[in-house]
Every structure is written in structure tokens, then in C-alpha cells.
Amino acid sequence: MENEVQKKRILSGIQPSGNLTLGSYLGAIKNWAALADEYDCYYMMADMHTITVRQVPADLRRNTLTQLAAYIASGLDPEKNVLFVQSHVPAHAQLGWVLDCYTMFGELSRMTQFKDKSAKNADNINAGLFTYPALMAGDILLYQADLVPVGGDQKQHVEICRDIANRFNGIYGETFKIPEPYIPKVGARIMSLTSPENKMSKSDKDPNGCVYMLEKPEDIMRKFKKAVTDSDACVRFDPENKPGVSNLMQIYSAATGAAFEQIEAEFAGRGYGDFKKAVGESVVEMLRPIREETERLLSDKAYLETIYRSGAERASYVANRTLGKVYKKVGFLAR
Ligand code: TYM
């Protein structure tokens, strides 16, 4: 228990369901690296969540490995952070099942992501898509995480995780730590560049709406140059009336650290053309070293293998302790 007393824990993850987006980077990964000294950090490739939507198997394998390389390239030192693949730690599936039995149909029905994804995948509304939040609750609770650093869209899932944990603790006594969501002030909700009323997402129908972390600079610049703005010709933060410009300001602020007032001053009296070019360049420069390092790491598969193997071992150790407690509490006969 020494570790649990000394350092608070963090758990988070991303689905390797395609190329990593600028939204996932600014909403999640970018903020993770700074936490390693203060917290005991666990970050996973959430591959089990990914199959709730049909995947091409070879792509899923490739995306999982690329995601690991991108985590490391983004500054997550594998010595200081436990980096692992969810399916390599069977306790996730095992606790997920137990928690399914403590999660209510009604509360799952209210999940925004379920409603969105079932609308987008009307021919494959499977049980996994529905019970996804119980699996995610298990991911977090297995590590007794204090904090879950995510973008704003995952807040509802962390809240249901708290409800499930409180319910379980209420029945069986203190078993799970109750986690808090940890959402960045800037970058928590990056919107599509072409339809700024929607979240930036890899499932965006318009390929120009979503920027990818590992995309070529010229493609990133082209997307920013095409980004939707308005007819007001004034760089001002006003998400309600100027969603496109405000989204670009969020991105610029997250990439450069500049406050909104500074950005307004910098572009006062200048056209949107200049502004969009500057935002694009700030993103290109932020991502360039990450892309180059990811490519380098991907050429060393043996190294990546050692990282995910040791990650699985370190994660399993913690996860199995929690799973053991849970099995005992619910009344499973010890083997
Ligand atoms: P996923 O894979 O959809 O997204 C990964 C992370 O990126 C954030 N994010 C965004 N942030 C800001 N703006 C955006 N446009 C944007 N798009 C994505 C998400 O909030 C998230 O932090 N269910 C999770 C994965 C997961 C998980 C977990 C997370 C599985 N188990 C346990 C935390 C803890 C998901 O689908 O994220």
C-alpha cells in the first residue's frame, strides 16, 4: 500500500480506433506528460473499447502500436508512466463483467456517447456499445485512480463511474477510490474546423474538419486555411456567436500558451487569412517533433514490444489486487 499512500494515481486512455486527432492531443495527451512527477500514472490503449464499432483487425493492431509510439513521443516517459494495452490485462474484462451487474439499464440509456454512436452505427447497436461505460468504470477503478485526465466529452463517463463505485462501496464497504475528472481549462472541447458546432472527431464525415496528430504539415496548413470562420472579420472570443473563430483561438491558445486577450490584440485589424495561417503554423510546430519521434519509434518495434510487455506486467499487478478484493466481496469462491 506504500505507493497508494505516497502518490495519487492517474488512469486514462484513448481508443486506437483510427489516427489520433488534434482534439485527443489537446484535450488529453498534452496534459498527461506534466503529471508524471506528482502522480503514479497509468495510460492505456483502450483497444477493448474500440471493438464496440467494427474495426479492420490489421488496422487496429497498427493503430495500437502507433498510439503507444505517439504517447512516448508526446513526452510520456515509459519509466515514469505505465503504458499498456487494455486487452493485455485481463482484469479489465473481468471487472467489467462484475460492474455490468451493478450498472443500471436506465443510467446507461442516458449516456450521450451511446446515443451518438448508435445513431452513427444504426446497423450495429451491439451490447458492448451499450455497456461501454461499465467497462470504462472498471478501467479506472482497477487502479484506484484519484484523477482521470480527459476531454470534456468524457466527463459523463467519469460521473457514471463514480455512481457505480459509490453503489458498490455502499453495498460491500470501502472497495474503490472515488475518482475525479481532470479536464483542461483550454482545449477541453476542440470543434470541427468545418462545422464548429460539432466536436472534432475522427468520425467526422468531412475530412477537412479533423486534423490528425501525425499528419503532414502541408495537409494541416491546408485544413486550417479552409477552416470556417464568419463574416465579421474580427478575432474575438465569443463561442456562441463566433464558434469557428473561437475554436481557432482555443487551438492557438493551447498550442502557444497565449491568453485570449493577447490573441485578440495580436490579430486586431488583421484579416482572418493571417490568423488562420498563424494557427496552422502553431499546430504544425507543436506537432512536428512528435510526428518525427513517433516515426522513429515505429521503426524500432522490438523496443515498443518491451514497453508494452513491461507495462502489462506493472498494470496487472495493481489491477489484480483490486480484482481480488472485488471477487472476494461479491462472494466468488477463492480458487
Ligand atoms: P476517445 O478515444 O474518444 O478520446 C480520447 C481522449 O481525447 C479527448 N478528446 C477530445 N478532447 C477535446 N476535444 C476533442 N475534440 C476531443 N476528442 C477526444 C477525450 O475526452 C479523451 O480524453 N472512453 C474513452 C477512452 C477510455 C478511457 C478509459 C478514458 C476508455 N477507458 C478510462 C479515461 C479513463 C474514449 O472513447 O476516448
Side-chain angles (χ1 to χ4, degrees), residues 13 15 23-24 44 132 136 139 150-151 153-154 187-188 190 199-200:
Q15 297 192 57
S24 301
M44 59 175 195
Y132 179 116
M136 176 162 160
D139 299 338
V150 284
D153 62 327
Q154 293 298 318
I190 301 298
K199 188 184 74 162
M200 181 181 282

Side-chain angles (χ1 to χ4, degrees), residues 232-236 263-275:
D232 189 27
C234 172
V235 175
R236 180 165 51 81
I263 302 173
E264 287 171 358
E266 185 182 348
F267 294 98
R270 291 165 67 187
Y272 284 154
D274 267 10
F275 175 53

Side-chain angles (χ1 to χ4, degrees), residues 107-210:
E107 57 191 346
L108 289 173
S109 311
R110 288 193 289 275
M111 293 293 115
T112 314
Q113 183 172 301
F114 173 69
K115 290 186 211 160
D116 287 353
K117 286 205 173 171
S118 41
K120 278 187 189 155
N121 302 281
D123 55 344
N124 183 23
I125 307 178
N126 59 72
L129 196 60
F130 188 62
T131 62
Y132 179 116
L135 179 64
M136 176 162 160
D139 299 338
I140 299 166
L141 300 176
L142 275 175
Y143 298 89
Q144 306 288 355
D146 297 273
L147 281 190
V148 185
V150 284
D153 62 327
Q154 293 298 318
K155 187 163 177 252
Q156 198 183 32
H157 287 160
V158 180
E159 276 161 7
I160 195 179
C161 168
R162 292 166 56 91
D163 293 342
I164 298 167
N166 276 317
R167 182 173 300 136
F168 194 96
N169 286 353
I171 303 171
Y172 299 104
E174 217 43 38
T175 311
F176 298 124
K177 177 78 70 65
I178 308 299
E180 299 279 345
Y182 180 75
I183 296 169
K185 287 205 175 61
V186 180
R189 193 166 164 78
I190 301 298
M191 311 308 276
S192 156
L193 297 189
T194 49
S195 49
E197 59 291 346
N198 299 318
K199 188 184 74 162
M200 181 181 282
S201 150
K202 44 202 157 197
S203 57
D204 197 327
K205 294 226 160 41
D206 182 348
N208 290 319
C210 184

Side-chain angles (χ1 to χ4, degrees), residues 82-85 88-89 307-317:
V82 179
L83 308 179
F84 67 101
V85 180
H88 291 179
V89 180
I307 300 302
Y308 68 65
R309 287 212 179 121
S310 112
E313 238 167 75
R314 291 160 74 190
S316 294
Y317 176 77

